[in-house]
C-alpha cells in the first residue's frame, strides 16, 4: 500500500506519510528500513504536517533499529507497528497513546521492558506476543481492556498485575505464572 504514501522531501528514502482519515495530521511509515539508524527519533512534523500516528506496519521488520523515540504528537500506533523488529531494545511511547494495537510489538525479541503511557486504555491480542525477553511490564491504572493473549510467548514475563478497573479481559493463551 506504499503507493498511497507521499515521500518526505527532507528524507526521501526513509519516511513516507499520508493524511489521517480524520484530517488531524499525517501518519508515517518507514519506506526504506535499510536507511534507518539504530536509534530512531520519529519526527513530530514532516513537510509541515503534524505527525499524529504511526501507520500499520510502520516499522515492520526493521532489523537495524534498536531504539525508537515516539514524540508527544503521536496519539495512535497501528497494528503490527514494530512487528518482528528483533533488535528493538527500547521504545519511548508518547503519553497520549490510548491503545496498543494487534501485534504492535510482536516478536521484538530483545525488548526487556517498556513503560506504558499512564492514559493507556486498551492492549489488543498478541500486542507483545513472542517478546521472549520481556521481563517486566507495568500496566497503568487507566487500562480498561486487556486481551491476555497480548503476552503469549513472553517466556521471561513471570508476573502480571492487572489494574483493578480493567473491565474486559480475554483470558485465552496465557503463559504467565502469576497474575494479580
Amino acid at each position: 500500500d506504499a503507493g498511497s504514501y507521499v515521500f518526505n522531501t527532507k528524507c526521501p528514502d526513509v519516511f513516507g506519510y499520508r493524511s489521517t482519515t480524520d484530517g488531524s495530521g499525517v501518519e508515517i511509515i518507514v519506506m526504506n528500513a535499510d536507511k534507518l539508524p539504530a536509534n530512531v527519533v520519529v519526527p513530530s512534523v514532516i513537510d509541515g504536517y503534524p505527525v499524529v500516528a504511526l501507520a500499520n506496519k510502520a516499522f515492520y521488520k526493521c532489523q537495524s533499529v534498536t531504539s525508537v523515540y515516539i514524540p508527544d504528537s503521536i496519539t495512535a500506533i497501528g497494528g503490527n507497528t514494530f512487528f518482528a523488529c528483533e533488535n528493538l531494545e527500547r521504545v519511548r511511547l508518547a503519553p497520549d497513546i490510548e491503545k496498543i494495537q494487534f501485534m504492535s510489538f510482536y516478536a521484538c525479541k530483545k525488548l526487556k521492558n517498556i513503560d506504558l503511557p499512564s492514559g493507556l486504555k486498551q492492549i489488543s491480542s498478541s500486542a507483545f506476543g513472542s517478546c521472549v525477553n520481556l521481563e517486566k511490564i507495568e500496566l497503568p491504572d487507566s487500562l480498561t481492556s486487556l486481551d491476555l493473549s497480548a503476552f503469549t510467548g513472553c517466556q521471561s514475563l513471570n508476573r502480571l498485575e492487572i489494574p483493578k478497573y480493567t473491565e474486559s479481559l480475554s483470558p485465552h493463551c496465557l503463559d504467565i505464572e502469576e497474575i494479580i
Side-chain angles (χ1 to χ4, degrees):
D1 148 0
S4 66
Y5 286 88
V6 174
F7 285 103
N8 175 11
T9 56
K10 291 184 183 167
C11 238
D13 296 339
V14 180
F15 289 113
Y17 66 91
R18 68 177 172 197
S19 270
T20 57
T21 54
D22 66 3
S24 62
V26 296
E27 64 178 12
I28 64 170
I29 192 167
V30 173
M31 301 302 274
N32 189 344
D34 295 336
K35 300 238 178 182
L36 282 175
N39 301 303
V40 176
V41 176
V42 174
S44 58
V45 175
I46 196 165
D47 288 344
Y49 301 105
V51 177
V52 298
L54 295 179
N56 290 338
K57 298 183 178 182
F59 284 83
Y60 190 81
K61 295 185 177 181
C62 290
Q63 299 305 315
S64 64
V65 175
T66 59
S67 73
V68 176
Y69 178 91
I70 299 173
D72 292 354
S73 65
I74 305 277
T75 58
I77 57 174
N80 297 291
T81 302
F82 297 100
F83 182 93
C85 290
E86 294 181 354
N87 294 306
L88 185 65
E89 296 174 10
R90 291 180 312 280
V91 175
R92 187 275 188 181
L93 293 173
D96 291 334
I97 292 173
E98 293 184 351
K99 182 177 181 180
I100 305 288
Q101 300 276 1
F102 174 76
M103 295 183 133
S104 289
F105 294 93
Y106 188 85
C108 291
K109 295 179 179 182
K110 290 190 178 181
L111 189 65
K112 289 186 177 184
N113 61 52
I114 187 169
D115 291 329
L116 299 176
S118 61
L120 186 68
K121 294 181 181 174
Q122 182 178 355
I123 299 176
S124 298
S125 65
S126 300
F128 295 95
S130 295
C131 290
V132 295
N133 286 306
L134 185 65
E135 298 172 344
K136 182 182 177 202
I137 192 161
E138 192 171 317
L139 302 176
D141 288 337
S142 60
L143 197 67
T144 58
S145 177
L146 173 63
D147 189 320
L148 291 180
S149 71
F151 304 105
T152 298
C154 294
Q155 300 165 352
S156 300
L157 185 63
N158 296 319
R159 184 175 189 274
L160 187 65
E161 190 169 334
I162 310 290
K164 62 182 172 182
Y165 297 110
T166 304
E167 298 168 1
S168 173
L169 287 174
S170 288
H172 59 300
C173 303
L174 189 61
D175 299 333
I176 299 170
E177 293 174 16
E178 182 182 7
I179 299 177
I180 297 172

